[in-house]
Amino acid sequence: MSGIRPILRLGEVLTSCVVRSVEGIESFQPERPYDVDIEIVFWCEYGNLFSPEAPVRLYDGSRLIATGEYLSPAED
């Protein structure tokens, strides 16, 4: 499984996820925006907590490393 593996906040719950660059970028630089896909590892347990209206917050341990927002996939 490629991609970085931070912790994703879903409300009051923190859970594992995998983040992959949509453009195939291997290394993320601070303070630069990226389009990414986020896979919630334990979707069966925590997928019901996902809300597209909630801000995206990613952590490395207790340190906040990235924020963002959910973007709907482009319609073909």
Side-chain angles (χ1 to χ4, degrees):
M1 190 177 343
S2 65
I4 64 168
R5 294 169 182 82
I7 302 297
L8 173 66
R9 178 176 292 279
L10 295 173
E12 296 302 314
V13 173
L14 297 171
T15 188
S16 299
C17 68
V18 178
V19 177
R20 293 181 189 89
S21 166
V22 171
E23 296 91 13
I25 296 168
E26 294 291 323
S27 179
F28 297 100
Q29 301 299 317
E31 304 298 323
R32 182 177 181 277
Y34 294 94
D35 287 336
V36 298
D37 289 323
I38 298 177
E39 175 187 341
I40 298 172
V41 175
F42 300 106
W43 182 261
C44 291
E45 290 86 357
Y46 301 115
N48 64 313
L49 300 175
F50 173 76
S51 170
E53 294 81 27
V56 175
R57 290 195 168 85
L58 300 173
Y59 294 85
D60 179 14
S62 62
R63 184 173 63 101
L64 180 65
I65 59 171
T67 61
E69 62 184 274
Y70 173 77
L71 301 175
S72 298
E75 302 220 6
D76 295 327

